[in-house]
Amino acid sequence: MSVLVFTENWDGKFKKLSYELVSYASAIAGMMNRKLTAFTIGRTGEEELKELGRYGADRILSLVNPALEVMDNRAWAKVIADLAEKEGSKVVVFSNNMTGKALAPRVSVRLKAGIASGVSRLPVSTEPFTVYKRAYSGNAFAGVVIKSEVKILSLAQNSYEIIEKPTGAIPETVEVEVDPSLAVTTITETHKQTGKILLTDAEIVVSGGRGMKSADNWAPLVELASLLNGATACSRPVSDEGWRPHEEHTGQTGKIIAPNLYIAVGISGATQHLAGVSSSKYIVAINNDKNAPIFEAAQYGIVGDAMKVLPKLVDAVKTLKK
Amino acid sequence: MKIVVCISNVPDTTTRIKFLEGNASIDTSGIQWVINPWDELSLTRALELRDDPASGVKTVTVAHAGPASSEPTIRKALAIGADDAIRVNCEPADAFFTASQLAAAISKEGFDIIICGIESSDFNGSAVGGMISEFLGIPSVSSVSGLSIENGAPVFTREIDGGRESLKVPVPCVAIVQKGIAKEPRIASMRGIMAARTKPVRVYETVDTDCLTEIAGFEKPAPGAACKYIDPDDPARLIELLQNEARVI
Ligand SMILES: Cc1cc2nc3c(=O)[nH]c(=O)nc-3n(C[C@H](O)[C@H](O)[C@H](O)COP(=O)(O)OP(=O)(O)OC[C@H]3O[C@@H](n4cnc5c(N)ncnc54)[C@H](O)[C@@H]3O)c2cc1C
């Protein structure tokens, strides 16, 4: 009768979002007087798994089977639904990241469990089970009542505090059964950059828009991001023009991010852009048009020419670091 | 090979969303309804494949679960170039209900590739595509940013953290797509608009399914604090505020 949380691992490692998830699921387990079981799929070391116990996981499972090496949505969803059934779980929590979006809906159908995706707060009540989720691309929150016996939630990244609650749980490795006819995904090629802060993980993001004027003007923006240990992003026209790579496009049709700090340089603040960044804790706007809508979304603003302001900001951060 | 693209009917993305008294439902007066942006891009890619004789894609159908009042959005998809359409006559009440209705109609007609957008811009559920695949018991590929057909079989590009990979799954399958699938949405030509009037829309009645969720109401995000302006000649002040007031650096 546990609450179940799926903590994905990246080459055997967890990251900040994994601990946010466990903290969130642990709080729900608390509300419902249940134990929390956290599980991952695929190889992870004992020490790494133990970390999940620091944030409230009462049981920690590592599900293994060679057929799960490649993420096949159908095969993985079956394994997760089987575990939820075995555990008699009433709530299953995912991240609302790419993997969560791939798996949670399939698990939902298998368990006939209603889903609330993109939640950022705890349920307001568990009887009836009501939880608020992001809707209308950041323009509203919808209160969703999940009526099914089993509930599925997926948590927006960087929306819930990590809370320490050590349990001392000892991780268990579980050999699971996989129907080989379900795992049919074959990967033919992989391109992966390592060592770069991912835009979706970054706590600080410095983003440029059409006001940056050309691909050649990006050096001070990139420098500012790197001095702040942040990632770089851009508005859609910038990636459409090819000034910056497509992975950096944020907004309704690009990446949806929620960093602690979003610095928007030469971005007008169109609703479609804000849809992807409005959950940022702080927004700084740098724009030479004092009437640009971005200032309505920002907490700090500089009305000025980006080309003049950026180098000064870079200097100010360098001075701070000294 | 036959492709079906599931399309959702959503408020134009520039709409200022307002709620009716008690925040129980959205105020639909004056809203312009459009094809969900990702579905429009999916349709564009599907049509590009159909228009390339080497791909082996013969037809592109659009499928929509919704009432008769969403016909203009379906006609728009036909005007852009879809060959025909399916509409399941219902109020799409929640993702589970909607997906089961679409899955039932899709399985009656039979398709090789079913394409859905990663989310609809109204409810941001990211659920319908994945649910359809599970209802049909077929493979799904999510975070798809590229689709091509090689030797009669689909090849997908899937976005992963920090990169992308190419992969294959056998048909029939569901592709859940995001940015990258097509560059610009195709727009309807005058000839397309004329032709759309007579293209077939097959209407299905609903199959028996439950809704598993309900909307209790909406909330507007709390308005943020008013913007504090900093002298453009003194950006060090901004850094100081970010460090000592916001405490984010
Ligand atoms: C269906 C749909 C989906 C969309 N999805 C997205 C999306 O996901 N993401 C997205 O970003 N957009 C999206 N858009 C586009 C969106 O509507 C805007 O067109 C876009 O966000 C504008 O980008 P921008 O702010 O960089 O450019 P602009 O609107 O051109 O703004 C440039 C800004 O730079 C300022 N500026 C100019 N020169 C300087 C200078 N020297 N110093 C400082 N400031 C300067 C200007 O004052 C202006 O405010 C979408 C549109 C549609 C229709």
Side-chain angles (χ1 to χ4, degrees):
Chain A
M1 299 287 275
S2 62
V3 168
L4 197 60
V5 58
F6 171 52
T7 47
E8 170 182 10
N9 71 74
W10 291 264
D11 299 320
K13 295 272 181 254
F14 295 121
K15 51 186 174 189
K16 185 170 160 268
L17 92 88
S18 325
Y19 307 131
E20 290 166 10
L21 267 177
V22 177
S23 302
Y24 179 81
S26 167
I28 292 183
M31 286 173 81
M32 302 179 73
N33 249 323
R34 304 269 188 235
K35 294 277 183 208
L36 175 64
T37 300
F39 71 99
T40 191
I41 295 181
R43 287 158 299 153
T44 322
E46 168 95 10
E47 286 311 304
E48 192 69 10
L49 284 166
K50 267 191 186 158
E51 282 294 295
L52 302 177
R54 261 186 43 198
Y55 308 98
D58 299 295
R59 272 182 85 206
I60 301 165
L61 309 176
S62 172
L63 311 186
V64 294
N65 183 307
L68 298 174
E69 188 83 11
V70 167
M71 183 171 92
D72 178 282
N73 297 348
R74 183 171 54 169
W76 280 42
K78 166 90 165 52
V79 164
I80 296 173
D82 286 350
L83 176 67
E85 274 172 350
K86 207 170 100 195
E87 291 260 320
S89 307
K90 292 289 167 269
V91 179
V92 187
V93 182
F94 291 86
S95 168
N96 194 36
N97 66 355
M98 291 196 274
T99 307
K101 288 177 187 177
L103 300 174
R106 297 201 72 133
V107 175
S108 155
V109 171
R110 283 206 165 262
L111 299 175
K112 214 167 183 276
I115 185 168
S117 44
V119 299
S120 53
R121 293 180 252 165
L122 288 172
V124 290
S125 74
T126 55
E127 296 280 345
F129 197 95
T130 308
V131 60
Y132 278 80
K133 72 171 293 279
R134 179 178 176 276
Y136 293 99
S137 302
N139 288 306
F141 291 98
V144 179
V145 182
I146 308 181
K147 300 184 292 182
S148 49
E149 201 188 330
V150 181
K151 285 102 179 144
I152 296 184
L153 303 176
S154 67
L155 179 69
Q157 211 169 323
N158 203 25
S159 65
Y160 196 79
E161 283 296 302
I162 294 177
I163 301 163
E164 293 219 14
K165 191 177 166 235
T167 60
I170 305 293
E172 304 158 47
T173 299
V174 183
E175 305 263 350
V176 287
E177 271 178 43
V178 179
D179 175 353
S181 72
L182 292 184
V184 294
T185 301
T186 35
I187 310 260
T188 52
E189 234 180 279
T190 304
H191 299 276
K192 207 168 162 178
Q193 270 193 328
T194 46
K196 212 178 142 199
I197 301 175
L198 294 177
L199 182 50
T200 42
D201 291 342
E203 297 190 9
I204 296 180
V205 173
V206 187
S207 184
R210 201 143 53 181
M212 292 292 291
K213 298 290 194 312
S214 97
D216 306 328
N217 292 337
W218 241 265
L221 191 152
V222 174
E223 190 179 5
L224 181 62
S226 103
L227 284 168
L228 294 171
N229 267 329
T232 48
C234 67
S235 68
R236 176 162 126 175
V238 166
S239 67
D240 284 352
E241 290 288 339
W243 297 355
R244 297 297 297 173
H246 281 287
E247 305 80 84
E248 290 197 357
H249 160 196
T250 49
Q252 180 151 45
T253 44
K255 289 209 166 68
I256 294 164
I257 56 171
N260 294 337
L261 175 61
Y262 183 75
I263 304 182
V265 189
I267 292 177
S268 60
T271 46
Q272 296 97 344
H273 185 80
L274 294 176
V277 303
S278 61
S279 302
S280 307
K281 304 235 159 66
Y282 285 90
I283 296 179
V284 171
I286 300 171
N287 197 306
N288 63 2
D289 171 7
K290 69 173 183 352
N291 296 319
I294 188 75
F295 288 114
E296 283 166 40
Q299 289 74 44
Y300 298 105
I302 297 184
V303 179
D305 182 346
M307 292 310 126
K308 296 197 180 113
V309 174
L310 276 174
K312 287 185 195 157
L313 274 178
V314 166
D315 287 342
V317 178
K318 279 186 181 155
T319 316
L320 173 81
K321 291 208 154 183
K322 269 187 206 145
Chain B
M1 185 166 321
K2 289 169 71 185
I3 297 182
V4 61
V5 179
C6 299
I7 59 170
S8 171
N9 185 32
V10 299
D12 178 272
T13 50
T14 53
T15 310
R16 290 239 170 208
I17 299 294
K18 289 188 299 246
F19 297 100
L20 293 174
E21 239 173 291
N23 285 346
S25 59
I26 83 158
D27 180 358
T28 54
S29 59
I31 286 185
Q32 285 266 20
W33 297 89
V34 299
I35 305 175
N36 184 41
W38 291 271
D39 308 346
E40 207 177 17
L41 289 170
S42 309
L43 176 61
T44 301
R45 182 60 191 146
L47 296 174
E48 286 168 3
L49 290 170
R50 182 204 59 192
D51 295 346
D52 171 9
S55 77
V57 174
K58 294 280 183 277
T59 58
V60 173
T61 301
V62 289
H64 174 69
S69 59
S70 42
E71 285 256 337
T73 295
I74 296 176
R75 289 286 164 205
K76 187 173 169 212
L78 294 171
I80 292 170
D83 297 289
D84 53 11
I86 294 171
R87 179 172 70 82
V88 185
N89 189 28
C90 63
E91 274 304 326
D94 83 338
F96 189 87
F97 175 86
T98 306
S100 77
Q101 299 307 336
L102 287 168
I106 286 168
S107 77
K108 273 184 206 134
E109 300 212 350
F111 292 94
D112 301 288
I113 306 175
I114 299 148
I115 311 184
C116 292
I118 181 66
E119 65 170 25
S120 64
S121 60
D122 51 0
F123 197 61
N124 307 130
S126 296
V128 169
M131 286 181 173
I132 291 176
S133 64
E134 195 62 50
F135 276 117
L136 298 175
I138 60 179
S140 60
V141 186
S142 38
S143 308
V144 170
S145 61
L147 167 61
S148 55
I149 311 280
E150 285 169 26
N151 305 318
V155 179
F156 301 94
T157 308
R158 164 161 92 183
E159 296 295 302
I160 52 174
D161 283 317
R164 54 185 54 92
E165 54 196 14
S166 302
L167 59 89
K168 292 183 182 165
V169 297
V171 294
C173 61
V174 176
I176 299 146
V177 308
Q178 60 165 63
K179 181 184 161 65
I181 188 73
K183 217 169 152 43
E184 284 285 324
R186 198 181 269 200
I187 44 178
S189 63
M190 210 50 220
R191 228 180 67 208
I193 295 169
M194 299 298 286
R197 292 188 189 157
T198 52
K199 286 181 178 173
V201 178
R202 293 179 292 281
V203 178
Y204 289 88
E205 289 310 318
T206 52
V207 293
D208 219 9
T209 334
D210 294 330
C211 279
L212 304 183
T213 60
E214 230 166 60
I215 300 291
F218 292 94
E219 250 180 33
K220 281 296 228 182
C227 186
K228 236 182 214 180
Y229 289 92
I230 290 121
D231 178 356
D233 292 321
D234 186 19
R237 172 82 183 132
L238 173 66
I239 301 302
E240 191 190 312
L241 287 169
L242 292 176
Q243 194 181 24
N244 300 323
E245 189 176 81
R247 295 172 193 275
V248 284
I249 60 173

